[in-house]
Amino acid sequence: MVEVKKVKRSENYSEWYNNLVKQADLAEHSAVKGCMVIKPYGYAIWEKMQAELDRQFKETGHQNAYFPLFVPKSLFEAEEKNAEGFAKECAIVTHYRLKTDPDNKGKLMVDPDAKLEEELIVRPTSEAIIWNTYRDWIQSYRDLPILINQWANVVRWEMRTRLFLRTAEFLWQEGHTAHATKEEALAETKQMLEVYADFAENFMAVPVIKGVKTENERFAGADETFCIEGLMQDGKALQMGTSHFLGQNFAKAFDVKFVSKENKKDYVWATSWGVSTRLMGALIMSHSDDEGLVLPPKLAPIQVVIVPIFRKEEEKMAVLEKAREYANALKSKGISVKLDDREGQSPGFKFAEYELKGVPVRIAIGPRDVQNQTVEVARRDTKEKQVMAEVDLVHKIEHLLTQIQQNIYQKALDFRAENITTVNTWDEFKNVLENKPGFILAHWDGTSETETKIKEETKATIRCIPLDSALEEGKCVYTGNPSKQRVLFAKAY
RNA sequence: CGGGGUGUAGCGUAGCCUGGUAUCGCGCCACAUUUGGGAUGUGGAGGUCGUAGGUUCGAAUCCUGCCACCCCGACCA
């Protein structure tokens, strides 16, 4: 265990976040600029996320496949807007061989004779290589839809990185689907947005606002970008997932046509959608406190930890026997349990350690409990402790896990409700931004110019045009021009 | 990439101004006593002072380049 340097959320949110990621053993910086090492405990959480998302993708008819890491430059540039959007942050492979440096013993140099005829782009996203492939897969409407997802790594050469929130290389899934009609593609886009929202709220316990991006914030190459937006504890917004309706842009760029039932040729309609290891950042920032991580039971690698307490040898026997009995009973119900029977550490040490790691439920069992047929149960979210009779313990723990899942969602939901402010004037807008970080609902005249000016003056961007907000006549907070709907502003990660 | 800061053992640090071979705490290893909220004692191991040069008899300390990280911008999921 590392010595814990305590920084409070309220003192320095960034430092608190960085310390937490390291101290809870989730990830660390690597020798490669901007890239992180995801450590076993952090990766275990990501695997839980993957497993559930993957299940939902398959349930909605998708299959996994894998496409190359590299994209030849000529393919990459085919869809102009997409290429332009990502051009500034691409890593490029220009050579395929090193050789020993004659002027510098023991060192290697790029072999100038091994220059590639065509540069390879390390994928920042895979539309290009995938749509180039789909062209060969699609001839008839009978070949559609294609519903494919891939789990992969991508590289975006960011200037400023932060563990999980923005790294130069990150892990994600990207779904890429092809459809015969616009309606079907749009329905797919919305369906996957729902999958993401459901996952965020019911598994991550993070409430999200579903919406549409403005033109400024739209994915490069998309006709429409849908997104889910979460609110972090420091009042900043985090884009947690996007689902794009790509229209026929990629089909046209890669010449992907199909013959319809009516024997007519038409371009294929496309969608793509993705979530990344950034979700780890959202999870950490949404629930954790000054004691450490708080994990929702549905994603916690360890849901219940059992800490045995004993002095004498005969106590140890009795306590461990009980502890194993409980552990097995819980495991048989599919609950992931860790029995921490290390003898070098005191119970207090272990309590603190599992709090740091966000384990939802802790069971302590000592000689006193063995005698009374009880256990001490502590929940991470509220830090409440109670002595429970062992009768029906498994059911009680199952119930408690459900309660914790609900409670941390409710807490996050309440927090968000308190931090969405409706404003009507520009003064109010600026005042709220400065004094009460969070989401702002305000009228906007619908132009890119206004959005850009607001961003320049306040750093706030339109996170989305919420899908479920009612139409309402009003005046743009910035220009006073007419508006039909409030949009969601915030400073964002 | 611009402005500010940091880099000394696994972690947190003192020393740097005023140059003389590195301090303390946690952790680690061994043994003993301990264990219901971060145990105690005794003994021990662990350092190219981020890195590459320069100045000097001598560099953690002074100078230069580079690298990484943090904070604030620009860019972005």
Side-chain angles (χ1 to χ4, degrees):
Chain A
M1 262 309 295
V2 294
E3 186 186 8
V4 175
K5 185 182 163 194
K6 286 261 167 132
V7 176
K8 292 187 173 174
R9 269 175 305 182
S10 52
E11 287 165 359
N12 185 337
Y13 195 81
S14 295
E15 201 181 343
W16 166 81
Y17 174 81
N18 285 323
N19 285 345
L20 183 52
V21 170
K22 286 176 204 158
Q23 285 162 2
D25 224 18
L26 302 175
E28 62 188 30
H29 291 286
S30 71
V32 190
K33 185 183 173 75
C35 297
M36 65 180 164
V37 175
I38 304 176
K39 298 188 76 177
Y41 191 60
Y43 202 80
I45 300 172
W46 175 241
E47 283 180 315
K48 293 273 252 187
M49 290 185 171
Q50 278 186 304
E52 173 56 25
L53 284 166
D54 202 64
R55 191 190 66 74
Q56 293 200 31
F57 297 158
K58 284 170 181 162
E59 205 171 274
T60 44
H62 303 84
Q63 290 180 296
N64 286 331
Y66 188 79
F67 294 84
L69 170 67
F70 303 116
V71 187
K73 183 165 152 288
S74 57
L75 293 185
F76 185 76
E77 64 202 7
E79 209 296 322
E80 256 176 80
K81 279 190 182 157
N82 185 250
E84 226 183 274
F86 286 102
K88 289 168 299 189
E89 51 194 57
C90 284
I92 303 131
V93 180
T94 56
H95 292 75
Y96 58 85
R97 194 164 65 210
L98 296 168
K99 65 174 192 178
T100 54
D101 186 345
D103 303 326
N104 212 340
K105 227 187 156 193
K107 304 281 183 184
L108 294 172
M109 61 180 284
V110 173
D111 187 344
D113 295 333
K115 194 167 171 10
L116 289 170
E117 277 186 33
E118 182 178 3
E119 293 92 343
L120 298 174
I121 314 300
V122 180
R123 63 181 167 213
T125 179
S126 300
E127 277 79 5
I129 187 78
I130 286 177
W131 276 86
N132 186 62
T133 308
Y134 281 179
R135 182 179 53 238
D136 298 336
W137 292 1
I138 299 167
Q139 274 94 43
S140 142
Y141 72 93
R142 294 180 204 276
D143 297 322
L144 296 171
I146 293 180
L147 303 173
I148 281 180
N149 173 65
Q150 83 166 342
W151 290 96
N153 57 340
V154 288
V155 169
R156 296 182 189 175
W157 215 263
E158 301 289 350
M159 287 169 176
R160 210 171 133 187
T161 58
R162 296 193 63 192
L163 293 169
F164 289 119
L165 294 174
R166 177 168 299 107
T167 46
E169 179 197 17
F170 56 93
L171 305 183
W172 77 347
Q173 59 68 218
E174 45 182 327
H176 295 273
T177 67
H179 306 266
T181 66
K182 180 179 181 179
E183 292 66 35
E184 193 184 302
L186 264 171
E188 165 78 4
T189 311
K190 288 176 185 165
Q191 173 185 244
M192 297 325 287
L193 186 76
E194 291 301 327
V195 167
Y196 288 157
D198 174 74
F199 176 74
E201 300 195 330
N202 294 320
F203 287 81
M204 296 177 66
V206 178
V208 292
I209 291 176
K210 293 175 280 191
V212 188
K213 287 291 187 192
T214 61
E215 202 185 330
N216 284 9
E217 303 277 328
R218 191 179 292 157
F219 176 76
D223 280 359
E224 203 82 87
T225 288
F226 294 83
C227 64
I228 50 172
E229 293 282 329
L231 186 64
M232 304 298 105
Q233 291 186 69
D234 62 347
K236 281 167 92 173
L238 184 72
Q239 179 173 306
M240 290 173 58
T242 47
S243 183
H244 314 293
F245 170 64
L246 302 174
Q248 295 174 311
N249 301 334
F250 284 88
K252 285 175 180 165
F254 290 93
D255 196 34
V256 188
K257 291 180 190 158
F258 72 103
V259 179
S260 68
K261 265 185 197 165
E262 295 77 29
N263 199 28
K264 276 193 209 154
K265 276 212 163 187
D266 194 10
Y267 288 108
V268 174
W269 298 85
T271 83
S272 70
W273 27 273
V275 295
S276 72
T277 35
R278 172 178 259 199
L279 288 182
M280 292 285 295
L283 189 69
I284 298 160
M285 286 198 292
S286 295
H287 308 305
S288 303
D289 60 25
D290 289 339
E291 262 60 59
L293 215 53
V294 175
L295 293 174
K298 285 187 186 176
L299 294 177
I302 302 167
Q303 293 172 307
V304 176
V305 63
I306 301 179
V307 178
I309 299 164
F310 48 81
R311 288 168 218 255
K312 300 168 201 143
E313 199 58 23
E314 61 268 27
E315 289 177 342
K316 175 179 164 184
M317 299 275 282
V319 165
L320 281 180
E321 195 192 322
K322 267 290 175 198
R324 290 198 188 102
E325 185 190 317
Y326 295 145
N328 289 334
L330 288 162
K331 277 180 195 163
S332 72
K333 288 286 178 178
I335 297 170
S336 71
V337 186
K338 177 171 175 174
L339 170 56
D340 187 352
D341 55 4
R342 289 178 298 172
E343 291 192 35
Q345 285 81 3
S346 69
F349 178 90
K350 292 177 183 175
F351 294 171
E353 184 176 1
Y354 291 107
E355 275 163 18
L356 179 60
K357 292 202 150 197
V359 174
V361 172
R362 180 184 76 230
I363 298 177
I365 164 169
R368 210 159 65 204
D369 296 300
V370 174
Q371 197 167 32
N372 301 339
Q373 299 186 317
T374 57
V375 291
E376 182 193 81
V377 176
R379 51 189 286 184
R380 176 64 183 86
D381 60 338
T382 60
K383 305 217 190 69
E384 287 164 349
K385 284 195 278 196
Q386 54 174 310
V387 175
M388 272 187 196
E390 72 170 354
V391 181
D392 218 14
L393 183 66
V394 173
H395 279 112
K396 289 186 224 166
I397 297 295
E398 274 182 316
H399 180 65
L400 183 58
L401 287 169
T402 308
Q403 268 189 323
I404 293 172
Q405 180 82 29
Q406 283 168 354
N407 179 55
I408 62 178
Y409 176 73
Q410 191 59 44
K411 226 164 131 182
L413 191 63
D414 292 345
F415 174 82
R416 191 185 70 184
E418 283 161 25
N419 292 284
I420 300 185
T421 315
T422 301
V423 311
N424 293 310
T425 69
W426 184 235
D427 281 343
E428 256 186 290
F429 187 95
K430 287 190 290 190
N431 187 36
V432 168
L433 257 188
E434 242 175 75
N435 302 312
K436 195 185 168 206
F439 284 133
I440 293 179
L441 279 169
H443 280 287
W444 163 63
D445 65 13
T447 67
S448 287
E449 298 76 59
T450 301
E451 186 182 0
T452 305
K453 279 180 186 156
I454 291 174
K455 185 180 176 181
E456 279 166 5
E457 283 185 41
T458 66
K459 309 270 188 290
T461 51
I462 299 177
R463 302 318 306 152
C464 68
I465 302 160
L467 291 183
D468 53 5
S469 84
L471 294 182
E472 168 194 317
E473 295 290 331
K475 285 181 178 173
C476 174
V477 280
Y478 192 78
T479 61
N481 291 335
S483 152
K484 288 203 164 82
Q485 188 184 1
R486 289 181 185 273
V487 299
L488 193 69
F489 285 91
K491 289 185 189 168
Y493 273 98

